[in-house]
Amino acid sequence: MSAVQSPVAPARTPRRVALASAIGTTIEWYDFYLYATATALVFNQLFFPSISPTAGTLAAFATYAAGFGARPIGAVIAGHLGDRLGRRTVLVGALVLMGVATTLIGVLPTFATIGVAAPVLLVVLRILQGLAVGGEWAGAAILAVEHAPPRRRGFFGSFTQLGSPAGMLLATGLFFLVRTAVGDAAFVEFWWRLPFHASAVLVVVGLVIRLRISDAPEFAELRAQGKVARLPVVEVFRAAPREVLLTTGLRLSQIALFVLITTYGLTYIASEIGRSSSAGLLAVVISSAIGLATTPLWAILSDRIGRRKPYLFGAVGGTVTLLLFFLAVGTGSTLLVVLAVGLAVNVTHDAMYGPQAAWFAELFTVRLRYSGASLGYGIGSVIAGGFAPLVAAAVVGATGSFWPVVVIFAAVSVLTILAAVFARETAFDDTV
């Protein structure tokens, strides 16, 4: 037993930390997904109006990609500080940075007001968002997993993952409600800002909750003994380069599928069915709500049968469900679009996303865990997540067909399948 005890009653610690992780990451992802939704719906009109619609969409997705590009940098900074100073300290800083950046986007003048300075400032704020979320996920996941009892790390780690569907549900749901209430014209003119303004309130709530948790006893003991890594990011590349590579590979298919469906998918639906169609927003809202149940269910399954099997199922099936999504949009049926999005997100995507927090944390030692998990998660995010909507928009624009997108995604999925095959099975290792 550790010589350093947590100030919170042991029986309540896992639940309290898991709940705090879920609420904190929900707020972070709410902020991050607001940008993604706005990119698909309004940013091309407001910040890039002087170019063609296709070029405007590409430019908007390029700013979206900038946030993903900043995530590995955020991961390096957060990994260094998190493995030296503690997980909670970094998480508080990340939450504040995200809240400030998101609130400022909500008051940003558009191209019509200040010209080219508008998209430049938009990119700067998006980069700050990327830095924040690059340091957020691993810290929240590690806190939940390190406090969890053996053989239940998948379940408790999945509370961190709940932040994604919950944040998406809040962001997309609020956009949907505001747009429906005021109409498309008024929404584009002003009311798209309201969800960004709400971030300031949510951040205060998140800070109150996050300041009440503490680091896990294992890390506290390591720090008390002066055994924390001096340069954890450097050391993790020396001691665990294979694990960094594998976690990067495990991230690829999962994040690519998610952003293709929930971000580029909204633009594709608008182009095929009509900009006034709410099919995309409705589908994302419903799948996000269902994800609050399917994400922990897949994680619980991974506690029982291992991390690898659900992950392989999701990686193999992702290509099929992406194809079904494009075919469903082609029919123009809102019902089929909703079903296809649910199948892609809640079945194949969540099969990977549910076990992900536990598997990434378990693959690294306590001493280098924040840096290792952050790097794999962040690098994979920028490679497959940041550029997926941009590549998809460019390919469909050039060829007029979605088939090349499906083929490219299938190639990415092969890398995730290989990573899942070669990664160590950790679910049943009680010494992690």
Side-chain angles (χ1 to χ4, degrees), residues 240-261:
R242 182 175 184 272
E243 285 71 20
V244 172
L245 182 62
L246 289 173
T247 50
T248 298
L250 289 170
R251 179 73 167 146
L252 297 178
S253 178
Q254 174 265 309
I255 187 61
L257 179 62
F258 188 75
V259 299
L260 283 173
I261 295 293

Side-chain angles (χ1 to χ4, degrees), residues 209-279:
I209 295 170
R210 188 155 277 180
L211 287 170
R212 297 180 62 191
I213 61 176
S214 59
D215 288 324
E218 291 85 350
F219 178 79
E221 183 175 10
L222 193 74
R223 185 171 54 189
Q225 295 174 351
K227 294 182 179 179
V228 294
R230 181 172 175 269
L231 295 172
V233 174
V234 175
E235 289 190 36
V236 79
F237 277 114
R238 290 176 179 170
R242 182 175 184 272
E243 285 71 20
V244 172
L245 182 62
L246 289 173
T247 50
T248 298
L250 289 170
R251 179 73 167 146
L252 297 178
S253 178
Q254 174 265 309
I255 187 61
L257 179 62
F258 188 75
V259 299
L260 283 173
I261 295 293
T262 63
T263 301
Y264 173 71
L266 296 180
T267 297
Y268 187 76
I269 289 170
S271 66
E272 294 297 309
I273 301 179
R275 185 166 292 279
S276 61
S277 173
S278 296

